[in-house]
Amino acid sequence: MEKLDLKDFERRTIVRSLTMDDYDALLAMHLCCFPGLAPWSRAQIESQLKIFPEGQICVEIDGQLAASSGSLIITYDPQTAWHNWKEVSDNGYIRNHDPKGDTLYGIEIMVDPEFRGMKLSRRIYDVRKQLCRERNLERMIIGGRIPGYHKYADQMSAREYVEQVIAKATFDPVLTAQVANGFALKGLIPNYVPDDEHSKGYATHLEWLNFDYHRGAKRRYHHAVEPVRMAVVQYQLRTLKDFDGFAKQCEFFIDAASTDYRADFIVFPELFTTELLSFVEATRPGQAARRLAEFTPQYLDLFTDLALRFNINIIGGSQFVVEEDVLYNIAYLFRRDGTLGKQYKLHVTPSERQWWGVSPGNRVEVFDTDCGLISILVCYDIEFPELARIVAHKGASIIFCPFNTDTRHGYLRIRNCAMARCVENHVYVAVSGCVGNLPFVENADLHYAQSAVFTPADAEFSRDAIGAECHPNSETMIIHDVDVELLRRHKFHGDTQNWNDRRKDIYKVVYMEAGQTNEA
């Protein structure tokens, strides 16, 4: 098998500023999203971009415009005619934009029907919220359509419909997403867009409050906390009928982590893909490993799609891959912008070498993500302190460790070494393992795990240096927030400062990379 080019599996997702070059695509998207409603004119878009370019954003997927958003800043006044969309937005020209105002007013969000269900509105709202924080704005206000109302208009009033949607008894394509993004209902506006047949002219008056707002502050507000939410899966291996069964189980966890808990990362265990061998012809372990590697293209397509669709960064456990007739155990990172990264397992266990014929990689990676620098050390790799020292030297603050162990002794080696790496390097380590049995898959029959998130051992962190942990040997998922800024402060002001107190005059870590010698 030839070496796979990850770029063949990537889907480029970019959130960027809107430009006039996007106008034709914007017009086409509007006609799809709002049939019967007059689109923005070229003059209106030109005015928006000239007056407040930071407030006009879009999402581009593989070079195609997938979503867009427009906004302006105003000064909040309870007497403002929020019911009059044209007045608040200056009929779309936003000449009333006030850079010194305190409220971001959203005038429109569009998501192309081809890309709906991919949580693009969440990406847009996240950018708007960040804009509020950077500009120290007190709130965001939007007037939201209720396009599902026309299906119920002969059964209930608009007020009753909105109450049903907020109570989650009814789904609305717009209001449901807005409530999920933290907006509170402030009122119902009749005749907001009279020509909107789907909403019967109604809209909701919604507000999001910026809890980072500092009254009277004129400079950008800086976060004292940089939280990253991670979901750690303790995955039960099971007998499958086909690849779709595997895909559905993975999607279940990813959907829950993203939709219900809004996690930034989800991590799966090492070689949890071995359950795919339950529906292929049984053979010797070395041959089975190469048979499993044949699923790699499907695996890459699946997790690239799920990361993009659910707006979450995925540590996809690990998977066997054959490159130029050599078998590797590779962990993949699937970023939510559609790009990929990979980490070869560097230390191969005697069992892997004997049963599967796995060969080690030769480079330790650090990956840039939208939550900072992270690394992936696969199972046995976490037991070698030099690797964690190298990735910490490269700037990683979170280490993800997908593992696969068959006994409690094996698991304890992973656990205790992961906890040590936190103390030595001022990092967080999340470990994710498999549970359950695969009776007909040799060398993958028994599994023991207690997945967890570990922290440095100091007063600022969790008691016992355990942020969260699963119950042993039960399929579940834990959710835990870690504070990256707290790590930075701890490195320089903790009770002990292991990183700063290294005796590099008597020892040091030397490693080779790209033919050059480096020190950590």
Side-chain angles (χ1 to χ4, degrees), residues 1-5 286-297 319-330 332 342 344 356-359:
M1 182 182 291
E2 294 183 1
K3 187 174 182 177
L4 296 173
D5 187 346
Q287 295 171 310
R290 290 171 179 265
R291 178 68 180 88
L292 181 59
E294 295 175 11
F295 288 100
T296 300
Q319 160 69 347
F320 283 142
V321 180
V322 176
E323 295 179 354
E324 299 174 350
D325 205 36
V326 178
L327 181 69
Y328 296 102
N329 184 357
I330 300 179
Y332 289 92
K342 66 178 181 180
Y344 293 80
W356 304 111
V358 179
S359 294

Side-chain angles (χ1 to χ4, degrees), residues 194-479:
D195 297 334
D196 184 356
E197 284 295 324
H198 285 88
S199 303
K200 296 300 180 182
Y202 282 95
T204 52
H205 175 199
L206 299 160
E207 181 182 63
W208 173 82
L209 292 177
N210 175 17
F211 294 123
D212 290 334
Y213 173 71
H214 276 198
R215 188 174 301 279
K218 295 183 180 180
R219 60 181 178 84
R220 172 177 172 173
Y221 175 66
H222 293 273
H223 285 278
V225 175
E226 293 186 22
V228 175
R229 175 163 292 183
M230 56 180 70
V232 180
V233 179
Q234 187 156 284
Y235 191 94
Q236 179 170 332
L237 300 178
R238 49 180 56 78
T239 300
L240 301 173
K241 294 181 179 180
D242 51 31
F243 188 87
D244 283 346
F246 171 75
K248 288 177 181 177
Q249 190 66 14
C250 295
E251 182 172 343
F252 160 73
F253 282 112
I254 292 167
D255 186 5
S258 173
T259 305
D260 297 339
Y261 300 102
R262 302 177 69 87
D264 296 298
F265 289 94
I266 182 170
V267 53
F268 287 92
E270 177 191 26
L271 292 179
F272 75 124
T273 53
T274 50
E275 68 178 6
L276 296 172
L277 292 174
S278 63
F279 63 83
V280 301
E281 184 179 356
T283 185
R284 296 174 64 85
Q287 295 171 310
R290 290 171 179 265
R291 178 68 180 88
L292 181 59
E294 295 175 11
F295 288 100
T296 300
Q298 286 175 267
Y299 160 88
L300 293 174
D301 279 332
L302 170 66
F303 282 98
T304 300
D305 175 69
L306 292 173
L308 194 59
R309 181 147 49 97
F310 288 98
N311 188 27
I312 190 170
N313 299 301
I314 301 173
I315 312 299
S318 75
Q319 160 69 347
F320 283 142
V321 180
V322 176
E323 295 179 354
E324 299 174 350
D325 205 36
V326 178
L327 181 69
Y328 296 102
N329 184 357
I330 300 179
Y332 289 92
L333 165 66
F334 303 86
R335 298 181 185 89
R336 52 182 156 200
D337 67 358
T339 59
L340 279 66
K342 66 178 181 180
Q343 173 66 63
Y344 293 80
K345 187 172 184 177
L346 301 177
H347 296 88
V348 176
T349 64
S351 176
E352 284 178 288
R353 188 178 297 109
Q354 174 187 347
W355 286 89
W356 304 111
V358 179
S359 294
N362 56 18
R363 177 186 170 100
V364 60
E365 306 284 353
V366 164
F367 304 99
D368 195 8
T369 74
D370 54 9
C371 297
L373 297 175
I374 63 105
S375 75
I376 307 171
L377 299 183
V378 183
C379 196
Y380 197 26
D381 288 340
I382 199 69
E383 299 179 27
F384 295 84
E386 296 87 353
L387 292 185
R389 184 72 79 195
I390 292 168
V391 299
H393 174 72
K394 290 183 175 183
S397 56
I398 301 173
I399 297 174
F400 292 98
C401 179
F403 73 91
N404 192 317
T405 52
D406 58 347
T407 67
R408 188 168 185 271
H409 294 101
Y411 163 69
L412 287 175
R413 290 193 292 270
I414 298 296
R415 179 187 183 93
N416 293 334
C417 289
M419 297 183 82
R421 304 299 88 88
C422 293
V423 172
E424 294 160 352
N425 302 289
H426 310 271
V427 296
Y428 298 111
V429 178
V431 300
S432 170
C434 294
V435 298
N437 306 316
L438 285 177
F440 307 110
V441 180
E442 286 193 73
N443 202 40
D445 41 5
L446 297 175
H447 301 86
Y448 184 98
Q450 185 176 16
S451 304
V453 178
F454 302 120
T455 76
D458 212 338
E460 302 98 313
F461 299 96
S462 305
R463 182 179 180 272
D464 299 329
I466 302 169
E469 62 183 344
C470 299
H471 187 76
N473 278 359
S474 297
E475 184 171 57
T476 186
M477 179 172 68
I478 52 173
I479 308 293

Side-chain angles (χ1 to χ4, degrees), residues 61-75:
I61 298 179
D62 294 336
Q64 182 177 343
L65 198 69
S68 71
S69 163
S71 61
L72 71 153
I73 297 175
I74 59 176
T75 299

Side-chain angles (χ1 to χ4, degrees), residues 10 82-83 106 121 136 179 210 271 449:
E10 291 183 340
W82 302 112
H83 62 279
S121 60
N136 193 38
V179 172
N210 175 17
L271 292 179

